[in-house]
Amino acid sequence: MKYHVHFYVNGDAYDLDVPANKTMLDVLRDDLFLTGTKEGCGAGECGACTVIVDDVPLNACLVLAPELDGVHITTVEGLSDGPKLSPLQQSFIKHGALQCGFCTPGFLMSATALLNENPHPTREEIIDSISGNLCRCTGYKRIVEAIEEIAARGQTAETQE
Amino acid sequence: MVLNGGTDVVIQLRDRLINPEYVVDIKRIPGLDELRFSKEEGLHIGACVNMNRLGGDENVRTYYPFLANAALSVGSKQVRNRATCAGNLINASPLADTSTPLLCLEAVLEVEGPDGKREIPINEFFVFVRKTTLQKDEIVTGIRVPYYEGAEGIFTKVSRRNKVDLSTVCSTVMKYAGQYRAAFGSVAPTPRRLPKTEACLNEGPLDDARIDRAVELALSEVSPIDDVRASKQYRLDVVAMALRRGLESLG
Ligand SMILES: Cc1cc2nc3c(=O)[nH]c(=O)nc-3n(C[C@@H](O)[C@@H](O)[C@H](O)COP(=O)(O)OP(=O)(O)OC[C@H]3O[C@@H](n4cnc5c(N)ncnc54)[C@H](O)[C@@H]3O)c2cc1C
Ligand code: FES
Ligand code: FES
């Protein structure tokens, strides 16, 4: 059985008929081809699938597709304005806060959600907000530093809006 | 099958541990996301209130800080934006982090089914690993927590990793009107209060000898097992440590 859902991703409206046994992550990647959002564990452990849903970070792998109805989602594709990266994305590059990059979209979304809610988080708040994201190659120091730079500037993390 | 925050259900579906004919999402039923407090009526936690909301609520932080700490110890920020307190109890894992504060607080589950409403005191709720006294055709609509003037409590969670990990042992020690209550998780098939330990603590003034005796009783009231997270002996040592430290800091 399929369910009709109407929802928004990065400001664009979508109408789809989705099966109950897919996740939000499957819909984003396989139906909308928004493959910036990654699947690591598929079980809520790694945070690679983090997206912002109605202002809060969620694991897209833990949300069933019929629950998409009526929600507003921001994915990593929504952070940049065309080729212009968000200040947080630029800071990740400047600080070398990525190696393979697989975890990066998830970290960017967790940190963006934090900075939207609280433009000047402390180091402790930063660490807490990314504790649900795993990185297996860079280590966390540079990632924290990249976020701290934006926190110090108090700039909003997103370029859009 | 009822779907709430889905942090247990979606994983059980994915691992094919369950194969329900229907999954019914209750999150948009009006009223189930209510969270309210008054000194007269205590705390009401609607079935769909998630852990971040519970743990961040001003009243919960003020009047039930050890419950707030337990809620914020669950998973990651992303998980806590979905995981509900009701789901945590109903899933009935022995290590459910919100179970021990709610056992000490003698919370009551408000239940509704085809035969109308009923209430289940939390100490009659857990039956075995993943088994509760909730019937298949019933849903929990909320959790009621009495208000205890001047109560203090300590929630302790010991896990392999500092953050985003399941409890190796979790516990709450609470003091109210000079009386102690203690509950432990992950040391028996269900989270549980320790009645003999409490009786000993409440017989007379808290001195070193009484604490020693209470720790000894506590170890006789739990039955931990060896598993991937820790050995039985490690868990027993943590029970002793958590009870001792809890009592010492509550005084
Ligand atoms: C990565 C990760 C980390 C985690 N870490 C922790 C941790 O540190 N500590 C911890 O205790 N738990 C942890 N958990 C599990 C925790 O998220 C769940 O136990 C959660 O609290 C369950 O709530 P839910 O709303 O997600 O329930 P769901 O998954 O929606 O439901 C759980 C069960 O309860 C039933 N149910 C839910 N609500 C109702 C209702 N109102 N009426 C009737 N039945 C209902 C469902 O049918 C199902 O059987 C973790 C989970 C993940 C994925
Ligand atoms: S893929 Fe969702 S948390 Fe790992
Ligand atoms: S950069 Fe490779 S996992 Fe983080």
Side-chain angles (χ1 to χ4, degrees), chain A residues 117-135:
Chain A
E117 189 195 322
N118 171 7
H120 295 290
T122 61
R123 171 170 276 232
E124 206 165 286
E125 288 166 333
I126 292 172
I127 290 174
D128 184 59
S129 78
I130 58 168
S131 65
N133 295 78
L134 298 181
C135 173

Side-chain angles (χ1 to χ4, degrees), chain A residues 97-104 107 134-138 143:
Chain A
L98 62 151
Q99 286 190 41
C100 79
F102 192 84
C103 67
T104 312
F107 274 98
L134 298 181
C135 173
R136 51 168 303 185
C137 41
T138 307
I143 295 173

